[in-house]
Amino acid sequence: MNPLGGAFKFLATTIFNSVLGLIFFLIAGHFANPSFVGKVAIIQLMETITGSFFAILPYSIITREISHRYAKNEEYKRIAHTALSFALLISPFLLFLLFFQSYLWLSIPYFIIYLYTNYQGQVLSGLGKFTEVNVGNAIFTIARWGFSVLAVFYHNVELLIAIWTIGALIKAIYYHLYIPFGFGLDKEVFKEIVKVGLPIYLTGIVSFISSQGDRVITAFLLGSYYLGIYQLVSLVAIVPSILISSLSSSLLPSSTYYYAKGSNIEEMSSLTVRLLTLFSLPIAILAYAISPFFISKLFPQYVLGIRAMELIVLSLTSTMPLQILSAFLVAAKKNYRPFIIIGLISALEVVGVSYYLIPRMGILGAAIAQAFNAIITSALYVAFANSQKVFLLGKKEKMAILIITISFFSLINWAISLVVILILFKISGIISTKDVILVENFIPTPLKSISKLLYLVAK
């Protein structure tokens, strides 16, 4: 169970997904109008709803329980079979989409397979099979953003749905090679996971509101045209944070595995936050500086969303190192109620601020709501992780948070902020030589040169 090896695999497939996604939306931006992009956004929105409202067995709990049993050499197949069987049994509830527009009810088979492959991926991650998970992700990416370009040329959203469905089915079949399906809904396992994971499940629902509430309100108040603009600039803006997040995709199974083996979770979370701070802040600032030129040159129809994009890319990417503390809170399996509190505050903030600002400021109001949300949830994760002794707020950790705060001065002058942050990384000593030596043990051989970069900032 190598967290860094898995992290680089997730990063590779995320970059692949981002590049193909960029090509897709670049073509869509030139050959289709924002209304078509808006329909794609609505399908993705329904995809998120499926993954949030229908995941009564929370993904993170499935991964956590399987990783824990795997580390203890205990039987885990009952959990895997229960999760996969549940995904199929809950699917008929998706028939409510029959009451909506035709392209949504035509998507029902896709959403069913999407939910099923989500559980397949969590089971594989729990077993540390990061290569298999990412091969499956790559297979789906080729269909999702590659072959579906055909649908753009024909302005045919139904063709896009058919291609996505076929891609998801191939992914499910591939995962089946490593997790043979055996129908069996173990009632005891089901009840235990639902009971333990209820706070996580409820958080997933309210997290949908916080992550998608700005888009829903944009669509409601401004229509699909402005939703299409906001969706595209948002997708561009979240690419850097997705790249950073992908590095942490192996965190939950790996931290659970080593925590079960006796490792100190405070030390694991501290090192992870400090390392991700080192990588995320320069990326956040450079993305903030470059992204406006990217939109103006490649997507001239969407320049109205540049200011919103700048705010989203900086706030989400800068705070990502603190957001990953959620994985350690799940791995520690102490008290999951903080997730509900964080989710509720987050949802209320996004909906309230969006509803107030969008009529006055347009899509920039939606971006401000997301920026506030990133800051508030980050602060709450730090507070709860510290209170549960999952994250220790020592000198180095406080310095990392201070440097994250300084990155927001990029809104005034990004060049000066970048120089100040790079200097602080070196003189503050938030990364020590001892930390680098520990990290070297997990860096895959072909990527050992990365340690040289870490030694440059280590103290």
Side-chain angles (χ1 to χ4, degrees), residues 117-317:
T117 56
N118 275 359
Y119 279 111
Q120 286 181 304
Q122 296 305 317
V123 172
L124 285 171
S125 293
L127 297 173
K129 295 184 179 295
F130 302 130
T131 299
E132 290 77 6
V133 173
N134 285 286
V135 169
N137 288 338
I139 290 172
F140 179 60
T141 292
I142 293 172
R144 184 182 183 91
W145 303 129
F147 293 120
S148 61
V149 167
L150 294 171
V152 177
F153 294 127
Y154 288 101
H155 299 272
N156 191 328
V157 72
E158 288 79 12
L159 177 59
L160 179 139
I161 293 167
I163 294 172
W164 284 22
T165 304
I166 293 170
L169 181 60
I170 294 173
K171 178 182 178 181
I173 293 171
Y174 172 76
Y175 282 164
H176 178 74
L177 299 177
Y178 301 95
I179 318 172
F181 176 72
F183 187 83
L185 189 68
D186 190 297
K187 293 182 180 180
E188 292 184 7
V189 170
F190 180 83
K191 289 179 181 179
E192 181 63 22
I193 294 178
V194 169
K195 179 181 177 181
V196 172
L198 183 60
I200 304 293
Y201 171 68
L202 295 176
T203 302
I205 294 177
V206 293
S207 292
F208 161 77
I209 299 173
S210 62
S211 64
Q212 303 296 324
D214 55 333
R215 290 164 174 77
V216 173
I217 295 175
T218 296
F220 176 71
L221 295 177
L222 303 179
S224 63
Y225 180 85
Y226 285 97
L227 173 63
I229 293 176
Y230 184 59
Q231 176 72 358
L232 187 137
V233 297
S234 295
L235 288 173
V236 173
I238 65 174
V239 167
S241 61
I242 289 175
L243 293 177
I244 300 300
S245 178
S246 69
L247 286 170
S248 64
S249 296
S250 59
L251 271 183
L252 176 56
S254 298
S255 58
T256 300
Y257 181 86
Y258 288 108
Y259 183 51
K261 292 286 188 182
S263 297
N264 188 305
I265 199 162
E266 288 182 331
E267 294 178 359
M268 288 191 287
S269 64
S270 170
L271 180 58
T272 302
V273 167
R274 289 183 282 118
L275 282 174
L276 285 183
T277 300
L278 173 63
F279 286 105
S280 66
L281 297 190
I283 291 174
I285 295 172
L286 291 174
Y288 169 82
I290 296 171
S291 56
F293 300 99
F294 181 84
I295 292 295
S296 61
K297 296 297 181 183
L298 299 180
F299 302 97
Q301 295 184 70
Y302 296 82
V303 292
L304 181 64
I306 286 180
R307 291 182 65 195
M309 179 189 60
E310 290 177 320
L311 192 56
I312 294 173
V313 71
L314 182 63
S315 59
L316 264 62
T317 312

Side-chain angles (χ1 to χ4, degrees), residues 60-85:
S60 57
I61 300 299
I62 296 296
T63 301
R64 194 261 173 210
E65 292 302 313
I66 288 180
S67 294
H68 187 271
R69 282 164 173 72
Y70 182 56
K72 296 288 188 180
N73 294 316
E74 297 174 354
E75 193 273 332
Y76 58 81
K77 288 185 178 180
R78 287 196 306 162
I79 298 176
H81 291 165
T82 296
L84 297 178
S85 300

